[in-house]
Amino acid sequence: MSKDWSIEGRYVEYCSCDFGCPCEAMGQPTEEYCTGAVGFIIDKGHCDGVSLDGVKVIATFYFPRAIHHGGGHMQPILPSSLSDEQRDAVFYILSGADQKIGTMFQIFSVIVETLHDPIMTDLDFNIDVHARTANIDVPDSLRASSEPIRNPVTDTEHRMLTVLPDGWVFHEAENVSGTTKSMSDLKFDLKGTHSSMAYIAWGPNGLTYDLDESRRKFKLAS
């Protein structure tokens, strides 16, 4: 039986592509493969009667080609502090079950062919979209940080936005510089590569708001 759920929060991604990530424009990854990590912090959410407020979700991934070719690997990382009901709700959402075709988790349920054992552990994870900074620390498994891109000549901050009116993960994202090292099943060591962060609102039918509604609700820095 399908469940009623919704999530609003903050999202960050890291991958092996150059700044801007050509995958966002339906291009090929900078390398022949794509590897990295994604994570989101739920500021307000529920799944049926289970509150998901404050829940933090992270996953590492690897795709041997552009992600739409499939063949992907993914390893979820969740806080050990989650209740059994919250953990079951998160895995139900991540599974893509009962979700509209073409929505984020439904797509990942198709292109991820190998799901590695989840890591349940203590973790530190923060995102500040306005400051364009993020930090992930999962002891012995994953370290990641995001900071503003800097002009290589003047060293001043360089701001770049991705706007996707028909996006399936977000509508608008701040592009930043990422540094990520994974020591878990999916190992990588990335320095100064693509990272982006966004406000997100998801439900079983995909993004909750259109671009205009999202801009009214989630204001990026001016």
Side-chain angles (χ1 to χ4, degrees), residues 28-222:
Q28 297 298 309
T30 303
E31 309 291 343
E32 292 184 357
Y33 59 89
C34 188
T35 190
V38 295
F40 54 92
I41 299 172
I42 302 173
D43 294 318
K44 180 181 179 183
H46 74 274
C47 182
D48 278 350
V50 179
S51 172
L52 299 177
D53 294 1
V55 169
K56 300 178 179 181
V57 180
I58 302 167
T60 54
F61 64 84
Y62 170 77
F63 290 88
R65 302 169 63 191
I67 66 172
H68 61 268
H69 290 292
H73 292 242
M74 184 163 282
Q75 184 166 36
I77 303 172
L78 299 175
S80 55
S81 58
L82 296 186
S83 68
D84 291 345
E85 292 78 11
Q86 288 176 316
R87 185 184 59 218
D88 291 346
V90 169
F91 281 125
Y92 170 76
I93 293 169
L94 295 181
S95 74
D98 308 314
Q99 295 174 37
K100 184 179 177 181
I101 293 174
T103 55
M104 186 175 76
F105 298 117
Q106 188 277 328
I107 290 173
F108 276 97
S109 74
V110 175
I111 62 177
V112 173
E113 298 178 11
T114 304
L115 189 63
H116 295 250
D117 289 340
I119 297 172
M120 309 294 293
T121 186
D122 294 334
L123 58 87
D124 185 35
F125 178 19
N126 295 288
I127 304 171
D128 187 331
V129 178
H130 277 207
R132 290 175 282 158
T133 59
N135 180 75
I136 297 174
D137 186 2
V138 184
D140 302 319
S141 296
L142 178 68
R143 291 194 301 271
S145 62
S146 301
E147 61 182 8
I149 296 169
R150 289 194 172 275
N151 183 308
V153 177
T154 65
D155 199 40
T156 55
E157 293 185 4
H158 176 75
R159 192 175 181 208
M160 180 171 63
L161 295 176
T162 297
V163 180
L164 300 171
D166 299 317
W168 52 283
V169 179
F170 52 75
H171 286 302
E172 284 188 302
E174 296 273 8
N175 285 266
V176 291
S177 175
T179 298
T180 323
K181 183 170 184 176
S182 171
M183 296 75 75
S184 59
D185 289 3
L186 306 175
K187 293 178 173 54
F188 49 82
D189 191 357
L190 309 172
K191 293 182 176 65
T193 58
H194 169 76
S195 175
S196 64
M197 57 184 62
Y199 293 105
I200 48 89
W202 301 324
N205 294 312
L207 275 64
T208 305
Y209 308 111
D210 64 23
L211 175 60
D212 290 339
E213 292 170 331
S214 180
R215 282 175 165 169
R216 285 193 291 270
K217 188 170 182 63
F218 306 116
K219 295 186 182 300
L220 299 178
S222 56

